[in-house]
Amino acid sequence: MINFLNYKEPFGLYIHIPFCKNKCNYCDFYSLKTCKNLMDKYIDNLKEEIKLYSNNLDVHKIKTIYFGGGTPSTLSSKSIKEILKTITRNFVVINKEIETTIEANPESLDKNKIISYKQAGINRISLGVQSFIDKELDFLGRIHDVEDSLNTIEIIKNYFDNYSLDLIFAIPGQTFKKFKQSLQQAIKINPPHISLYNLQIEEETPLYKKLNKNEIERISEDLDYKMYNYAIKQLTTNNYNQYEISNFAKKGYESKHNLTYWNYKPYLGLGPSAHGFNGSNRYYNIQDIKSYNKEISNCNFPVEKIVKLSKKELITERMIMGLRLNKGINIKEFKNRFGISIFDLYGNKINKLKKENLIKEDNEKITMTKKGLNLGNLVLAEFLLE
Ligand code: SF4
């Protein structure tokens, strides 16, 4: 059996909370409707999963903790406290102040919850605002409105200096003017971190069905680029550093947990449909919560699949993750990690993309240009090794 447990260095800890009050029209993540009994049972099993890893790993040091979902803020502060307590009893945090993030939606937070999350040990909130236009929120199937978002942000600001707002752009029907309005509202609030994703219409979602029936239309590529470039310009002017394709932060407020993924460092993932990576192998947890619960009750790891990544796969993933970052791929570090020069492997591709002004190179690193960032995945696909 492939050893997915041999972690060799401190890692990020991801905890999946697969519950939402409602399913958004664009979402294809695994999530279930909130239900107290189901959630309580899940929390008990999650604590068992934490202990199971603690009993079987050699390395117990955690660098960051991240509650993702689903909507983790559907959990009570009591549950969050219990989970964090189980983590600190079974693992060692590298320092007292490690970044501990919870993803939240505006309708599931109030002042008491925000205060008690903080008391429980949460020190960063990532808030799914998505848009500051009610009509767009309606279209996306979100169950909060702009007023909810503004009220929630006001409270968060009073208790957390580290928080992030998530925005979506390229929404069918969205005009440039409306996007500008949303972005300007976010900038006015002045959060230390903003994530900005263009809407992906995934198969099997209500939006995809509408698209197929020609009831909605994707916005044009030109408008998509125009919105993205406008955002980069506005955010940069307002002292946000674009440290990743979709992420912008004031100095010192970059997401340490997400940087673990982009820097291709190890992480442990817990909960149904979560996955983990120890630097050479990746494991995937069972998605279905009933099967997950059953495995945990039998003291088994709820793992469905373990993949030993080949050297080619490791290199490809390293390139794709690293180029998403503004700091790009460090040429020396690449050679140290893989024992081969990046130019021996990708020399022709690098020259071609440089000529097309999609990437640039200095003595230390390879990074994407502004034009490359705009084309994002098309450029990254060039680094797939056959
Ligand atoms: S809140 Fe997030 S995870 Fe839940 S349905 Fe909406 S997009 Fe999906």
Side-chain angles (χ1 to χ4, degrees), residues 130-359:
Q130 316 311 2
S131 164
F132 283 104
I133 309 289
D134 277 332
K135 230 173 126 190
E136 291 174 4
L137 291 172
D138 234 29
F139 176 84
L140 295 170
R142 305 288 296 183
I143 50 172
H144 61 92
D145 59 19
V146 174
E147 201 185 334
D148 292 332
S149 299
L150 293 173
N151 290 340
T152 308
I153 295 165
E154 229 13 74
I155 307 169
I156 290 176
K157 274 176 122 173
N158 285 335
Y159 295 93
F160 284 81
D161 73 319
N162 194 356
Y163 68 99
S164 174
L165 302 183
D166 269 11
L167 287 181
I168 290 179
F169 72 102
I171 302 168
Q174 187 177 38
T175 60
F176 184 63
K177 195 173 161 204
K178 288 289 175 201
F179 171 66
K180 256 171 97 173
Q181 200 180 316
S182 261
L183 185 76
Q184 288 305 340
Q185 175 69 68
I187 291 173
K188 196 170 146 209
I189 291 165
N190 198 26
H193 189 283
I194 294 179
S195 297
L196 186 69
Y197 294 99
N198 67 345
L199 180 69
Q200 300 297 314
I201 303 184
E202 307 289 352
E203 284 183 28
E204 304 295 328
T205 59
L207 283 194
Y208 187 80
K209 284 175 195 146
K210 280 192 177 178
L211 195 66
N212 266 350
K213 286 192 210 156
N214 292 325
E215 288 172 12
I216 57 168
E217 241 179 74
R218 288 183 208 273
I219 70 158
S220 71
E221 264 182 26
D222 284 352
L223 182 54
D224 186 322
Y225 290 167
K226 191 176 166 190
M227 287 175 178
Y228 183 56
N229 285 309
Y230 173 79
I232 294 175
K233 207 165 168 199
Q234 289 300 310
L235 289 165
T236 311
T237 312
N238 284 280
N239 298 324
Y240 289 91
N241 173 32
Q242 183 184 18
Y243 69 104
E244 195 265 351
I245 288 185
S246 308
N247 285 279
F248 303 80
K250 295 272 171 84
K251 199 164 183 278
Y253 286 94
E254 297 81 7
S255 162
K256 293 189 178 74
H257 183 83
N258 289 336
L259 278 167
T260 298
Y261 305 134
W262 300 318
N263 284 322
Y264 211 42
K265 294 288 186 186
Y267 58 91
L268 195 71
L270 307 178
S273 81
H275 47 88
F277 172 64
N278 66 5
S280 48
N281 307 319
R282 180 167 291 118
Y283 69 84
Y284 297 84
N285 267 3
I286 296 168
Q287 191 173 76
D288 174 58
I289 199 162
K290 278 192 196 142
S291 316
Y292 168 89
N293 286 340
K294 197 171 152 209
E295 289 300 326
I296 297 281
S297 314
N298 292 330
C299 297
N300 292 329
F301 284 101
V303 170
E304 185 167 53
K305 193 167 81 174
I306 306 165
V307 179
K308 179 165 177 46
L309 296 165
S310 66
K311 192 169 172 185
K312 263 187 193 171
E313 287 167 327
L314 289 168
I315 289 174
T316 303
E317 289 189 1
R318 175 72 193 104
M319 289 302 291
I320 290 175
M321 297 310 255
L323 282 172
R324 294 183 64 91
L325 291 170
N326 234 11
K327 66 172 188 172
I329 301 278
N330 184 292
I331 296 168
K332 213 165 144 194
E333 208 181 284
F334 184 95
K335 185 156 190 198
N336 289 343
R337 182 158 181 181
F338 298 111
I340 184 163
S341 153
I342 198 166
F343 300 105
D344 289 345
L345 267 176
Y346 289 112
N348 291 341
K349 293 250 166 85
I350 289 173
N351 284 337
K352 177 182 156 255
L353 293 170
K354 264 166 59 183
K355 269 189 206 144
E356 292 168 13
N357 190 27
L358 294 168
I359 60 168

Side-chain angles (χ1 to χ4, degrees), residues 19 35-45 76 79:
F19 303 103
C35 156
K36 183 157 185 334
N37 289 347
L38 189 62
M39 290 164 87
D40 286 349
K41 189 166 179 203
Y42 175 58
I43 301 305
D44 287 342
N45 283 323
S76 65
S79 297

